[in-house]
Amino acid sequence: MASILDIMSRNTVRRLNGADTALAVLSADLGGIVWANRAGRRLLGDDSLHLRSLQAATAALAERGRTQLLLRPADSTLGRALLVRLERDEALGVLLTARLGAADETVEQRAARLLADAGVEDSQACIASADGFLAGTPSLPAAERSLLGLQGAEFLQSDEDHLTIEDEAGSLVFARVADDLVLVHLCDRMPDPTAVPGDADGEADAAVAEAETVAAEPEPIADGEPAPDAEATADAERPEGVPAATDSVVEPEPVVAPLQEPFRARLDADPVRFVWQIDADGRFSQLSPEFAAVVGPHAADVIGRAFSDVAAVFGFDTGHEIERLLERRDTWSGRSVLWPVEGTDRRAPVDLAALPVFSRERRFEGFRGFGVVRPAESVADPDAIGLALSAPEPRLSTLSPDSTPESEPDGSPTATLADEPPPSRPFGRRTGAPERTSPASGGVVALEERRRLREQVLSSAEEAAFRAIGAELAPRPAAVPVVSEAAAGSPASALAAVFDALPLAVVALHDDSLVYANHRFFAVTGYESVADLEAAGGLDRLVVSCGGSDSEESRLCRADGSIVETGLHLQRITLAAHNCLLLSFPPLADDPAAREGERAQARELEVEVAELQTVLDTATDGILLLDEGARVRRMNGSAEALFGLEPDRYLNLPFTELLAPASRALAKGYIETLRDEGMAAVLNDGREVEALVDGGAATTPLFVTLGALAGRRGWCVVVRDLTHWKGVERDLVAARRQAEDASFHKSRFLANISHELRTPLNAIIGFADVMASECFGPIGHERYLEYLGDIKRSGHHVLDLVNDLLDISKIEAGKMELSFEAVALDEIVAEVVALMQPQANRERVIVRSVLPPDVPPVVADRRSVRQIALNLLANAVRFTPPGGQIIASTAYGEAGEVALRFRDSGIGMSEHEIAIALTPFQQVKSGGRGEGTGLGLPITKAMAEANQAVFTISSTPGEGTLVEIVFPAQRVLAH
């Protein structure tokens, strides 16, 4: 079944397996159908007639890799003939497709069709989407649907197409059958007493065949034939040298240490995905071999160890965050740890995600998870755990439990199993696994016992520890002779077979002694043999300099004392069970100037990097570098001071963890907006968030701006502390509210006092008029009449002041009632000029008007516009000396605006005096006629702005003043 799910999960099949599309996977010779969907089965049918017709296209398919032909469908309802396409696929074989048409189907219908195509009706399986369960087989219990739907939704978040997770109960298969659908299949493992446990695909049988000879199973007995004697059959088929089951002694086979290639870390490799599993006790129970291929077998040998113990040994999850997630028994993802890489002083980041696993009785059984290891993003490991894991592997002789010590060619005795103490339990050994023991000399080993012994295979770490103990117990010679010739079986012979013909200078050390150098090395250095190099001083004389920060090359001293520059590379290798240190000297470029230029360029880049780092640390804004998953890679000094974090605390920490919970959703949405690269990403106006400071005890406002780094290497974040600006903003808001309150109280006071003054003023003015008219009899003296005139003028002056106070209070409070209508400015100017002409004549001031007929009307309040024109003309008459002139005019501008202008040749004002004149209750101390209230120009300006016009005044002392009221084009009515 796994093969069918694997086919359906492939990108090509998944893309073509649409509605009403006939699809089939054929064998490479077109002789059989490997898999077909529902429409494909209708097209091809069950007979081989159509396959024979397809085989006619085998030659064309082999030549071109793709061909098309007409095929008569087996199901007559599909039509008379269809155009089918054959395409050779290296992974699948031959892919047959035929487009039948387009049919609409719901997501549930598509899920049911894909489930039927998978052929899993008789087992427990379901189709899930990102929202959970969609369709399932009849045998799938209802209690399992939500759990499998959740696991399928978690799988869709990864980039995997097909995944199989096995345990002692069976296997869980995930197959992506559409871009948004996944098929989850539960395979229960049936117990097989004759099979090796844990080996479902037959690999264990192959391993058993390689390790030892097993008695062959008897052939099936045909009907009517007598059953042969079991013991006779076993004796007849027993290989020579293997005792029968009734014998008292079983000669065990010798234990031979396999020769393994040394692990070499590839820190420039692409990210690798793997699966892992933890049991209910929190111990690693499964780890896919892809992970060990990246970090090394010793570094990955954690099976049977608790996650907390592994984290403590390897130095990750110091905050116990993942450990708490495991205790919660909930789905989690997006967590990263730094795992040591064997044989290096580096740690590779590993991204982990996991989902809980429950039995059918809802009993918790642990976690299944996915992971991604990124060796290219490794960081330095100050503890160098990877180097400690890379222990040398000494040679292990062929041992037998009852063998006797024999001498090696060099005279040293060989260690035996009987002489070796039991090795200590290595890191990562499976808990509960019985110790590997050899049967007693008089015991009988049954077939089941032999299979049980075969299961107890030592892990790579156990084998390394086992060989190390054997090497320590074995006596060593007093001195290792210098090998000048490649003797058979020596390290030099194994090295010569590999490196003699290599066009690269190579020298090797074994047990801290020079044992081999190839011909290219002798040609470069001028030495005759390894013995000559040892006699001259060995590596201490050979290597003058290993290179430093200013130079990439090393310097070697040749036999004649001259110096040659070359490269230097050190590597530990194992050949023929010999652990050697290999030094290779690659040649440098022939052009010294080019090398010097490269070094100079490297120095300039280092200086530039140092300068940029200084600039970033000096900047007052915090700057953070995030990876593609929005985890913090680095901070500048300002950011570290702002958040109060050290590098060991914020490395690989999600950026959202630095923010208050209320701001995390906003930050995630901001990042997703930038990922979409739409208009919002182009504008990128930043976000205002709350950040956690002082270890999360307080928050501070920040303005955050994100930008994507080149090459999709992550994000750059600029954060600015808004604490000061927020304080200033609060002060400004408080000041504005205080000013508004003061203005409100002032306006209310003016309105109240003005209302109270109007009544007595009207009485004073009225009684003064009655007395001056002498309607009740003559006044005794004429001076009393003059006093009554003064009383009337003073009363009218105070009444005008009160009216002005009421007007300005209404304007400031926004309660001035305006009635907007079409107002002809020419009519209002002519009316005001006629009204003020007598007073201008008395003052001997000439008043002219310029009123073009093409000026259109404006939308304004007629009463207030008349008051504006009257105030400005009255001011012009008051401050213009005799003989001067005043021009009142209107104008229609090119931009559609209309202007009302009053120009006089009066005394004029300076800029300072203009500012005083526009301030309420302030008057310019100039030679004007009469007394004012100091509210004329402020009220005029306020009325103009209330009519949405622009009030401007320009003046020059001794030359005159120009006042303009400009109505914008929006307030002008078209002709």
Side-chain angles (χ1 to χ4, degrees):
M1 193 63 60
S3 61
I4 295 179
L5 300 186
D6 183 58
I7 290 174
M8 293 182 64
S9 64
R10 294 184 181 272
N11 287 331
T12 304
V13 176
R14 191 169 68 235
R15 176 173 50 85
L16 296 175
N17 193 14
D20 282 358
T21 299
L23 179 65
V25 178
L26 309 178
S27 60
D29 58 353
L30 304 182
I33 302 174
V34 179
W35 172 83
N37 64 358
R38 180 178 57 186
R41 291 192 294 271
R42 292 177 58 195
L43 174 63
L44 297 177
D46 297 330
D47 55 12
S48 59
L49 176 62
H50 294 84
L51 294 179
R52 288 197 298 271
S53 62
L54 291 175
Q55 287 177 346
T58 304
L61 182 64
E63 179 180 354
R64 296 192 296 269
R66 178 184 302 174
T67 185
Q68 298 185 16
L69 68 157
L70 289 173
L71 185 67
R72 184 180 301 278
D75 189 343
S76 59
T77 61
L78 295 179
R80 299 191 52 152
L82 291 176
L83 180 66
V84 300
R85 174 178 176 178
L86 299 176
E87 184 173 2
R88 186 170 298 281
D89 188 287
E90 295 181 358
L92 299 175
V94 177
L95 195 63
L96 181 147
T97 57
R99 187 67 176 174
L100 303 181
D104 296 333
E105 60 180 356
T106 64
V107 177
E108 290 76 9
Q109 292 172 344
R110 183 160 60 111
R113 177 176 58 82
L114 294 173
L115 192 63
D117 290 342
V120 292
E121 295 85 355
D122 298 333
S123 59
Q124 299 181 12
C126 73
I127 296 287
S129 66
D131 298 328
F133 175 86
L134 285 178
T137 57
S139 59
L140 181 65
E144 295 286 344
R145 294 181 177 181
S146 59
L147 176 60
L148 292 183
L150 176 63
Q151 294 176 337
E154 184 75 19
F155 175 80
L156 286 174
Q157 298 179 7
S158 67
D159 295 333
E160 298 286 344
D161 293 332
H162 187 274
L163 177 65
T164 301
I165 302 176
E166 295 190 359
D167 57 15
E168 65 279 358
S171 61
L172 181 65
V173 181
F174 296 87
R176 191 187 295 265
V177 294
D179 291 340
D180 56 346
L181 298 178
V182 59
L183 190 147
V184 186
H185 183 228
L186 276 173
C187 301
D188 291 337
R189 181 168 300 162
M190 300 301 295
D192 186 1
T194 64
V196 179
D199 190 1
D201 298 329
E203 296 179 359
D205 293 337
V208 170
E210 293 177 1
E212 60 181 354
T213 303
V214 181
E217 298 291 338
E219 294 293 334
I221 303 173
D223 294 339
E225 294 184 6
D229 182 65
E231 294 186 4
T233 303
D235 293 338
E237 298 183 358
R238 181 172 61 250
E240 184 178 355
V242 177
T246 58
D247 295 341
S248 60
V249 178
V250 174
E251 294 293 338
E253 299 180 4
V255 180
V256 181
L259 297 178
Q260 299 180 353
E261 289 294 329
F263 172 74
R264 299 179 181 178
R266 291 188 55 193
L267 298 180
D268 58 346
D270 295 332
V272 175
R273 299 185 180 277
F274 63 94
V275 294
W276 57 282
Q277 187 171 339
I278 287 181
D279 60 17
D281 296 329
R283 299 179 181 275
F284 283 96
S285 59
Q286 181 182 355
L287 197 60
S288 58
E290 293 84 1
F291 183 73
V294 177
V295 302
H298 294 170
D301 190 9
V302 296
I303 302 300
R305 278 280 183 175
F307 182 89
S308 57
D309 296 341
V310 177
V313 174
F314 286 164
F316 55 75
D317 194 30
T318 55
H320 305 287
E321 181 182 4
I322 299 180
E323 188 176 349
R324 288 193 295 269
L325 291 173
L326 295 176
E327 293 175 356
R328 287 167 52 186
R329 299 183 178 181
D330 197 2
T331 303
W332 54 271
S333 62
R335 298 300 186 270
S336 295
V337 299
L338 292 175
W339 201 286
V341 181
E342 180 181 337
T344 69
D345 59 349
R346 311 286 292 179
R347 291 173 180 256
V350 179
D351 303 334
L352 298 176
L355 51 93
V357 179
F358 296 91
S359 65
R360 298 180 181 178
E361 294 78 17
R362 305 302 298 171
R363 185 179 66 255
F364 177 70
E365 294 183 346
F367 281 86
R368 290 191 181 103
F370 314 96
V372 179
V373 56
R374 308 178 187 274
E377 301 177 13
S378 63
V379 299
D381 182 7
D383 299 329
I385 299 177
L387 295 178
L389 292 173
S390 179
E393 299 182 359
R395 182 175 50 184
L396 182 65
S397 304
T398 300
L399 301 177
S400 177
D402 57 350
S403 61
T404 57
E406 298 179 0
S407 298
E408 292 285 348
D410 56 0
S412 60
T414 303
T416 65
L417 279 174
D419 297 331
E420 294 178 0
S424 60
R425 184 174 181 270
F427 183 85
R429 182 169 178 175
R430 294 163 177 77
T431 47
E435 296 295 332
R436 185 171 185 176
T437 58
S438 58
S441 58
V444 178
V445 180
L447 179 60
E448 291 300 325
E449 179 66 17
R450 294 173 65 84
R451 285 175 176 170
R452 186 184 66 80
L453 291 176
R454 284 199 302 272
E455 288 180 43
Q456 303 169 8
V457 180
L458 294 177
S459 66
S460 57
E462 292 171 331
E463 292 177 355
F466 192 84
R467 290 194 294 269
I469 293 173
E472 291 296 331
L473 295 176
R476 297 191 179 184
V480 178
V482 177
V483 180
S484 57
E485 297 181 0
S490 65
S493 63
L495 293 167
V498 178
F499 298 106
D500 265 353
L502 193 67
L504 179 69
V506 171
V507 64
L509 291 86
H510 179 65
D511 290 341
D512 297 331
S513 299
L514 290 170
V515 296
Y516 170 76
N518 66 351
H519 300 294
R520 181 62 181 171
F521 174 81
F522 294 135
V524 171
T525 59
Y527 291 99
E528 296 295 335
S529 64
V530 174
D532 293 342
L533 178 59
E534 283 279 17
L539 291 181
D540 293 338
R541 171 178 170 80
L542 176 67
V543 181
V544 178
S545 172
C546 295
S549 58
D550 296 332
S551 175
E552 290 290 340
E553 57 268 359
S554 302
R555 301 174 65 201
L556 303 181
C557 180
R558 303 178 75 244
D560 56 3
S562 60
I563 302 298
V564 61
E565 292 184 347
T566 181
L568 175 59
H569 180 72
L570 283 78
Q571 182 179 4
R572 184 170 293 280
I573 65 171
T574 301
L575 286 177
H578 299 291
N579 201 322
C580 302
L581 179 64
L582 189 71
L583 286 77
S584 58
F585 305 94
L588 300 176
D590 296 334
D591 188 3
R595 295 202 305 269
E596 183 61 31
E598 293 176 357
R599 289 196 297 268
Q601 184 178 6
R603 288 193 294 268
E604 291 177 0
L605 290 176
E606 292 177 357
V607 172
E608 185 176 355
V609 169
E611 291 176 350
L612 291 176
Q613 185 62 44
T614 303
V615 171
L616 292 178
D617 290 336
T618 308
T620 56
D621 289 344
I623 299 176
L624 298 85
L625 295 181
L626 312 181
D627 60 13
E628 184 63 19
R631 291 179 292 271
V632 181
R633 288 196 290 126
R634 193 167 185 181
M635 291 185 185
N636 68 340
S638 298
E640 292 179 354
L642 176 64
F643 292 104
L645 297 176
E646 297 295 333
D648 57 345
R649 294 184 56 190
Y650 65 71
L651 284 178
N652 292 318
L653 183 70
F655 173 67
T656 53
E657 297 294 331
L658 300 175
L659 306 180
S663 299
R664 292 173 182 175
L666 178 63
K668 290 181 180 178
Y670 184 22
I671 295 176
E672 294 302 323
T673 300
L674 296 181
R675 289 185 194 273
D676 294 340
E677 298 180 353
M679 183 57 67
V682 175
L683 298 177
N684 195 8
D685 52 353
R687 299 292 187 274
E688 186 174 327
V689 298
E690 291 286 334
L692 298 175
V693 295
D694 296 336
T699 61
T700 185
L702 296 181
F703 188 79
V704 177
T705 305
L706 271 79
L709 298 177
R712 292 186 176 271
R713 297 187 66 249
W715 309 91
C716 174
V717 184
V718 179
V719 296
R720 174 168 294 181
D721 190 358
L722 298 180
T723 304
H724 172 70
W725 304 109
K726 287 292 183 180
V728 173
E729 181 181 358
R730 287 193 297 269
D731 295 342
L732 291 176
V733 171
R736 186 191 65 186
R737 291 177 179 173
Q738 185 177 3
E740 289 175 350
D741 291 342
S743 177
F744 171 76
H745 291 301
K746 179 196 69 175
S747 300
R748 187 173 183 179
F749 169 76
L750 290 176
N752 292 336
I753 197 65
S754 300
H755 178 73
E756 295 296 332
L757 290 176
R758 288 171 68 92
T759 301
L761 282 175
N762 288 329
I764 292 171
I765 295 172
F767 287 132
D769 286 336
V770 171
M771 294 175 65
S773 63
E774 298 178 335
C775 61
F776 297 111
I779 296 178
H781 199 282
E782 293 182 357
R783 188 176 291 264
Y784 290 140
L785 295 176
E786 295 178 1
Y787 291 160
L788 290 175
D790 293 339
I791 292 173
K792 288 176 60 178
R793 286 192 298 272
S794 299
H796 282 291
H797 177 72
V798 174
L799 186 60
D800 291 340
L801 177 61
V802 170
N803 290 332
D804 291 343
L805 287 174
L806 285 175
D807 290 339
I808 198 169
S809 297
K810 290 180 180 179
I811 293 173
E812 289 181 351
K815 296 182 179 181
M816 185 176 182
E817 297 179 359
L818 300 177
S819 178
F820 293 106
E821 57 180 315
V823 177
L825 295 182
D826 293 349
E827 296 177 1
I828 292 179
V829 172
E831 180 184 353
V832 171
V833 169
L835 182 64
M836 292 297 298
Q837 190 66 50
Q839 182 179 351
N841 292 337
R842 287 195 300 269
E843 303 297 341
R844 293 179 296 170
V845 176
I846 301 173
V847 178
R848 297 190 301 163
S849 59
V850 179
L851 305 174
D854 60 343
V855 176
V858 298
V859 178
D861 177 64
R862 182 180 295 275
R863 186 185 66 82
S864 60
V865 172
R866 183 177 180 276
Q867 185 66 38
I868 289 171
L870 188 60
N871 289 350
L872 293 177
L873 189 56
N875 275 348
V877 172
R878 183 184 306 165
F879 292 100
T880 301
Q885 64 175 347
I886 301 172
I887 301 175
S889 63
T890 58
Y892 186 35
E894 295 180 356
E897 75 279 3
V898 172
L900 173 62
R901 298 189 180 99
F902 292 90
R903 182 187 297 275
D904 64 66
S905 59
I907 59 177
M909 293 180 293
S910 63
E911 294 292 335
H912 177 66
E913 291 173 336
I914 292 175
I916 294 176
L918 293 176
T919 304
F921 305 105
Q922 297 291 327
Q923 289 182 321
V924 179
K925 303 301 182 181
S926 302
R929 307 181 187 90
E931 298 179 358
T933 61
L935 294 174
L937 282 179
I939 291 178
T940 302
K941 182 175 182 294
M943 286 183 175
E945 292 174 350
N947 283 276
Q948 299 183 17
V950 179
F951 178 91
T952 58
I953 181 171
S954 58
S955 181
T956 302
E959 295 183 3
T961 304
L962 172 64
V963 179
E964 285 187 320
I965 308 295
V966 180
F967 292 88
Q970 296 85 354
R971 308 291 293 180
V972 177
L973 297 176
H975 287 289

